[in-house]
C-alpha cells in the first residue's frame, strides 16, 4: 500500500511540474492582434483585463477563430482593435442590433458593459432607435448644437437626425417604409438598454475616419458597430520587459504581481541575460516552477510523515490482530501544509 501511495504521489508531482510551465501568450486570435494590456490567456497582459476576452473557434470550418468580449449580458464578436495610446478602442458587433441586412423584428436587450472594468462606451458612437412609443419617449427635432455638445441638450430623441435619413447600406429606409427613427446620445450602455424597452429596435453606429488619397485623414463615415474605449496602463516595467530581451508582459495568476514572460522562464525585470543572472543572485527571480519545488518538498515531507505514521499503526496491528486500529490519513484535500 505504501508503494502504491508513493507512486500516486510521484505521479501527482510529475503532473504538477509539467502543468506549471510558463504561460504561452497567443498574439493573434484569427486575424486580430492581441497585445498588452489585453490578452486571451490567463497570466498574460494586464490583470485589469483578466478573463474579459476569449478566442472561440468559428462555426464555419473555413473561417478564422472569433475574438469575443465578455460582458454581463453575454459575449460579443470584436470586429477590429486599435492599440493607439491616445485612441485605444475596439469595435464590437451586437447580434440583436438592427441592420439593413438583418433587421430585428422584435425588440431585444442590447449589450451591457460592466462599469467596474476599464472598458467604457465611446463618445464617437451614434445610436438610432426605431419605432419608439411616443407615449414614453420624447421624440422631437433637436438643435444642431446638440451634435457638438450633446450634454447641453435635453434627453429627447432627435427625429431629424442625419443618420436617420442616411442609413449606411439603405439610405432610403425611412422614405420607403413606415419605420420611424430618432437619434439619442447616451453616456452609458444602460441608457441604451432603457431606451430599447420602449422601441422596436436600435442601431449602433461608430464614426470611422477614412484615409485620404494622400495618406492623411479624410472624411468620417458611419459604420455598423459599437465602439468601446479602453485604457493602456503606463508601466515602466512592461516597457523594460519588451525593450530588453523582447519579453512579454504578464502577471502572476495568484498574486497579480507583474511578470516578464521570457519563454521558458519568468522574471520580475526583463529577459536580458545579465538581468536574469542578477535576479538569480539577489533572489528576486520568480518562476512558477519554484512554487512547484516548494510543493514537491512539502509533499515529500508529508509522505515521509505519513509513512512513519503508517508504521506506528502497523506495529500495534501485529501485536493485537483481533482489535481494529484506526488513524487519520492526510490527503491533498485536507492536508494543512
Amino acid at each position: 500500500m505504501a508503494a502504491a501511495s508513493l507512486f500516486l504521489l510521484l505521479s501527482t508531482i510529475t503532473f504538477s511540474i509539467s502543468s506549471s510551465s510558463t504561460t504561452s501568450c497567443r498574439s493573434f486570435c484569427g486575424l486580430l492582434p492581441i497585445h498588452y494590456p489585453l490578452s486571451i490567456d490567463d497570466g498574460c497582459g494586464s490583470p485589469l483585463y483578466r478573463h474579459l476576452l476569449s478566442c472561440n473557434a468559428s462555426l464555419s470550418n473555413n473561417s478564422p477563430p472569433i475574438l469575443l468580449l465578455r460582458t454581463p449580458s453575454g459575449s460579443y464578436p470584436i470586429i477590429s482593435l486599435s492599440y493607439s495610446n491616445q485612441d485605444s478602442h475596439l469595435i464590437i458587433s451586437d447580434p440583436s442590433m438592427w441592420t439593413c441586412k438583418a433587421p430585428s423584428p422584435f425588440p431585444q436587450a442590447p449589450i451591457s458593459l460592466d462599469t467596474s472594468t476599464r472598458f467604457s462606451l465611446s463618445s464617437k458612437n451614434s445610436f438610432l432607435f426605431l419605432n419608439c412609443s411616443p407615449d414614453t419617449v420624447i421624440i422631437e427635432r433637436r438643435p444642431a448644437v446638440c451634435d457638438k455638445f450633446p450634454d447641453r441638450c435635453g434627453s429627447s430623441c432627435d427625429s431629424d437626425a442625419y443618420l436617420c435619413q442616411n442609413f449606411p447600406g439603405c439610405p432610403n429606409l425611412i422614405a420607403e417604409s413606415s419605420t420611424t427613427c430618432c437619434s439619442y446620445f447616451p453616456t452609458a450602455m444602460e441608457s441604451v438598454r432603457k431606451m430599447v424597452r420602449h422601441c422596436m429596435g436600435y442601431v449602433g453606429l461608430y464614426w470611422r475616419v477614412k484615409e485620404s488619397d494622400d495618406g492623411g485623414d479624410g472624411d468620417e463615415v458611419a459604420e455598423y458597430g459599437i465602439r468601446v474605449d479602453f485604457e493602456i496602463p503606463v508601466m515602466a516595467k512592461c516597457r523594460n520587459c519588451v525593450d530588453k530581451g523582447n519579453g512579454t508582459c504578464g502577471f502572476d495568476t495568484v498574486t497579480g504581481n507583474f511578470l516578464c514572460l521570457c519563454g521558458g522562464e519568468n522574471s520580475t525585470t526583463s529577459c536580458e541575460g545579465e538581468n536574469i543572472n542578477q535576479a538569480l543572485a539577489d533572489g528576486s527571480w520568480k518562476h512558477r516552477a519554484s512554487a512547484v519545488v516548494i510543493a514537491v518538498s512539502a509533499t515529500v515531507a508529508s509522505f515521509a510523515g505519513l509513512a512513519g505514521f503508517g508504521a506506528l499503526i502497523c506495529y500495534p496491528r501485529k501485536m493485537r490482530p483481533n482489535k481494529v486500529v484506526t488513524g487519520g490519513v492526510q490527503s491533498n484535500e485536507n492536508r494543512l501544509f
Side-chain angles (χ1 to χ4, degrees), residues 9 298-299 301-303 305-306 309 327-337:
L9 285 173
T299 304
S302 298
F303 178 76
L306 179 62
F309 188 65
V329 179
Q330 293 186 8
S331 67
N332 285 334
E333 285 74 19
N334 59 27
R335 178 162 49 85
L336 300 179
F337 57 96

Side-chain angles (χ1 to χ4, degrees), residues 30-306:
L31 302 177
L32 295 179
I34 309 297
H35 302 316
Y36 181 87
L38 306 181
S39 72
I40 53 179
D41 299 297
D42 198 17
C44 303
S46 169
L48 297 174
Y49 297 95
R50 188 178 187 181
H51 302 318
L52 292 180
L53 298 184
S54 63
C55 187
N56 291 14
S58 174
L59 297 178
S60 174
N61 295 330
N62 298 326
S63 301
I66 301 174
L67 183 63
L68 299 175
L69 172 65
R70 292 170 172 165
T71 75
S73 56
S75 297
Y76 299 87
I78 297 177
I79 303 173
S80 63
L81 278 167
S82 173
Y83 294 92
S84 172
N85 288 330
Q86 305 299 326
D87 194 37
S88 53
H89 67 273
L90 51 85
I91 306 297
I92 61 175
S93 174
D94 184 355
S96 69
M97 187 174 66
W98 194 100
T99 66
C100 292
K101 296 181 179 179
S104 300
F106 303 103
Q108 300 182 45
I111 183 176
S112 174
L113 286 178
D114 187 352
T115 55
S116 66
T117 67
R118 299 302 178 95
F119 289 119
S120 61
L121 187 66
S122 175
S123 60
K124 295 185 178 181
N125 289 309
S126 291
F127 291 91
L128 307 180
F129 298 89
L130 309 177
N131 294 335
C132 298
S133 171
D135 298 331
T136 54
V137 178
I138 303 175
I139 303 174
E140 61 184 15
R141 184 174 181 177
R142 304 179 74 192
V145 68
C146 293
D147 293 339
K148 293 185 178 181
F149 307 100
D151 55 327
R152 299 182 182 179
C153 298
S155 58
S156 62
C157 196
D158 186 11
S159 60
D160 194 39
Y162 168 80
L163 288 175
C164 281
Q165 315 302 325
N166 298 273
F167 266 75
C170 48
N172 299 323
L173 171 70
I174 302 300
E176 298 177 352
S177 68
S178 59
T179 303
T180 62
C181 172
C182 63
S183 177
Y184 177 63
F185 297 89
T187 57
M189 283 306 301
E190 186 59 30
S191 299
V192 177
R193 294 174 66 84
K194 290 180 178 180
M195 280 286 291
V196 171
R197 296 173 188 172
H198 309 284
C199 305
M200 292 300 295
Y202 91 105
V203 180
L205 301 165
Y206 70 97
W207 293 94
R208 181 178 65 85
V209 178
K210 293 179 61 177
E211 184 176 338
S212 62
D213 296 335
D214 58 1
D217 292 340
D219 298 332
E220 286 189 332
V221 294
E223 296 186 355
Y224 289 103
I226 301 173
R227 171 170 164 155
V228 177
D229 295 336
F230 63 90
E231 304 172 14
I232 299 180
V234 179
M235 289 187 62
K237 290 183 178 180
C238 181
R239 187 180 301 109
N240 185 66
C241 171
V242 176
D243 294 343
K244 295 182 178 181
N246 196 29
T248 301
C249 300
F251 60 93
D252 189 298
T253 57
V254 176
T255 65
N257 295 333
F258 173 81
L259 283 179
C260 185
L261 309 180
C262 309
E265 306 289 349
N266 295 340
S267 171
T268 56
T269 52
S270 73
C271 299
E272 262 189 350
E274 57 268 23
N275 288 329
I276 291 179
N277 293 332
Q278 178 62 32
L280 288 171
D282 61 19
S284 64
W285 180 262
K286 291 183 186 258
H287 180 258
R288 294 183 183 179
S290 61
V292 178
V293 170
I294 296 174
V296 169
S297 300
T299 304
V300 172
S302 298
F303 178 76
L306 179 62

